[in-house]
């Protein structure tokens, strides 16, 4: 991903004129099948290892957490929480995303045109300040050069660069799909339609739990869900969208839905308990 808007530190710019792409994930629909994770890895050339049990060196742009209400049968309940990059806008959507604010190389930047936090791989020198600053643990460090099985190299996406050892990577909201769709719309002299830019995880979800679009566009479903309005009717049936760790004022663009109160508390607790991969793991290699 190589979008550089150069607005990362402008105060109070906001999204009044631009798009603000975001996601709504219905946790009451998610079955935890992991199709979103597989689709993300295939679409974005994320490497895997034969043994992925060591979570300190695995890379998962989209990660599914398993949550429990902590009660015994028959009151026991389970919920699965997919977690991509939150593409935080910071306080008042001023572009002060935690990761953007600490990067000394401007290797990650915030776009007011799309609301997407970019990662510019060729600028990153692996200091990992962004990993320490991200409260959602959505960034990953490449401990080794990626290696893919010989018969898989033909399946790598030509639109996404493979990341080298020593740099940080993360979910890009499949930004290459946005670029491709915008090129087509520009050539045909029209505006981008909602269905033309969708992330791989959204399209792969068999339960339809993920909705993606422009939060600023009242015609897009994500706008209707977050604002609970669709043709004059409420669409959430009493449920309220929530975001993770809202008390931090990171202003994430990923919203969640659930009718269960314990899910909100468990989702935030899972992130507070997750340790970042800041220590080099021992043994094994790509």
């Amino acid at each position: 991903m190589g979008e550089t808007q150069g607005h990362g530190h402008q105060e109070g710019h906001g999204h009044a004129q631009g798009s603000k792409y975001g996601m709504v994930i219905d946790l009451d629909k998610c079955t935890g099948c992991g199709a979103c994770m597989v689709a993300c890895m295939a679409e974005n050339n994320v490497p895997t290892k034969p043994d992925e049990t060591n979570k300190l060196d695995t890379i998962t742009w989209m990660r599914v957490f398993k949550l429990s209400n902590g009660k015994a049968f028959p009151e026991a309940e389970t919920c699965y929480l997919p977690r991509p990059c939150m593409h935080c806008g910071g306080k008042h959507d001023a572009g002060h995303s935690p990761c953007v604010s600490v990067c000394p190389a401007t290797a990650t930047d915030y776009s007011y045109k799309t609301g997407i936090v970019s990662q510019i791989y060729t600028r990153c020198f692996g200091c990992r300040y962004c990993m320490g600053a991200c409260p959602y643990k959505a960034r990953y460090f490449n401990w080794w050069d990626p290696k893919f099985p010989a018969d898989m190299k033909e399946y790598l996406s030509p639109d996404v660069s493979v990341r080298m050892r020593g740099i940080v990577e993360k979910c890009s909201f499949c930004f290459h799909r946005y670029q491709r769709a915008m090129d087509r719309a520009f050539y045909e002299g029209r505006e981008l339609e909602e269905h033309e830019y969708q992330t791989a995880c959204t399209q792969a979800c068999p339960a339809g739990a993920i909705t993606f679009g422009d939060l600023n566009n009242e015609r897009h479903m994500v706008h209707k869900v977050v604002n609970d309005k669709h043709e004059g009717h409420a669409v959430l049936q009493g449920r309220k969208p929530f975001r993770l760790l809202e008390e931090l004022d990171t202003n994430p663009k990923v919203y969640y839905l659930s009718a269960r109160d314990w899910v909100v508390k468990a989702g935030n607790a899972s992130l507070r308990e997750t340790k970042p991969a800041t220590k080099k793991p021992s043994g094994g290699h790509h």
Side-chain angles (χ1 to χ4, degrees):
M1 181 177 183
E3 185 194 40
T4 309
Q5 297 297 327
H7 298 307
H9 299 283
Q10 291 183 10
E11 194 72 48
H13 188 291
H15 287 275
Q17 304 298 324
S19 298
K20 191 168 73 171
Y21 284 97
M23 188 175 285
V24 177
I25 303 176
D26 192 334
L27 301 181
D28 294 341
K29 290 183 178 178
C30 179
T31 63
C33 69
C36 56
M37 296 177 64
V38 175
C40 173
M41 298 182 85
E43 177 74 18
N44 294 289
N45 299 335
V46 178
T48 60
K49 305 189 305 300
D51 183 358
E52 290 278 353
T53 57
N54 186 352
K55 298 307 177 186
L56 289 179
D57 62 15
T58 57
I59 298 176
T60 51
W61 288 15
M62 171 69 90
R63 182 175 176 182
V64 178
F65 289 81
K66 183 179 181 180
L67 308 178
S68 169
N69 64 350
K71 296 182 179 179
F73 179 83
E75 288 82 20
E77 292 184 18
T78 299
C79 176
Y80 296 95
L81 187 146
R83 188 247 40 215
C85 170
M86 298 288 157
H87 295 272
C88 305
K91 195 170 185 179
H92 306 306
D93 266 345
H96 293 294
S97 314
C99 55
V100 173
S101 298
V102 300
C103 181
T106 321
T108 184
D109 202 6
Y110 185 84
S111 168
Y112 289 97
K113 185 177 180 181
T114 62
I116 293 175
V117 176
S118 66
Q119 184 70 14
I120 307 164
Y121 306 122
T122 51
R123 292 183 182 175
C124 179
F125 57 85
C127 70
R128 288 173 283 158
Y129 285 180
C130 57
M131 293 176 63
C134 176
Y136 304 101
K137 316 305 177 192
R139 290 176 162 270
Y140 296 89
F141 184 72
N142 281 274
W143 292 104
W144 299 282
D145 285 320
K147 292 184 178 179
F148 299 90
D151 54 352
M152 285 187 61
K153 291 183 178 179
E154 299 296 329
Y155 294 93
L156 294 178
S157 171
D159 296 327
V160 182
S161 58
V162 175
R163 286 71 62 187
M164 71 289 278
R165 174 179 53 184
I167 68 170
V168 174
E169 61 179 81
K170 71 170 191 70
C171 156
S172 66
F173 271 173
C174 292
F175 186 74
H176 58 287
R177 291 188 170 201
Y178 171 80
Q179 292 176 310
R180 191 164 53 205
M182 281 298 295
D183 286 346
R184 186 182 305 114
F186 180 79
Y187 176 76
E188 297 175 357
R190 56 176 176 78
E191 294 186 355
L192 186 67
E193 298 293 335
E194 180 180 9
H195 70 276
E196 293 182 292
Y197 172 39
Q198 292 291 310
T199 61
C201 57
T202 301
Q203 294 183 323
C205 180
I210 304 176
T211 306
F212 181 79
D214 183 1
L215 293 163
N216 276 352
N217 192 328
E218 60 183 13
R219 299 192 303 274
H220 286 207
M221 183 53 69
V222 289
H223 176 90
K224 297 173 182 176
V225 172
V226 170
N227 293 281
D228 200 11
K229 294 180 180 178
H230 179 49
E231 297 180 350
H233 301 286
V235 296
L236 297 179
Q237 300 178 337
R239 296 187 296 169
K240 182 180 180 181
F242 67 93
R243 297 180 291 184
L244 298 176
L245 303 179
E246 288 214 58
E247 69 273 17
L248 300 181
D249 276 339
T250 52
N251 206 3
K253 295 185 185 66
V254 177
Y255 291 79
Y256 294 94
L257 298 177
S258 179
R260 296 168 287 182
D261 292 335
W262 68 266
V263 170
V264 182
K265 299 178 181 177
N268 286 319
S270 68
L271 288 169
R272 294 189 180 101
E273 294 171 357
T274 302
K275 296 179 180 179
T278 55
K279 183 179 180 180
K280 184 175 182 179
S282 58
H285 58 83
H286 273 214

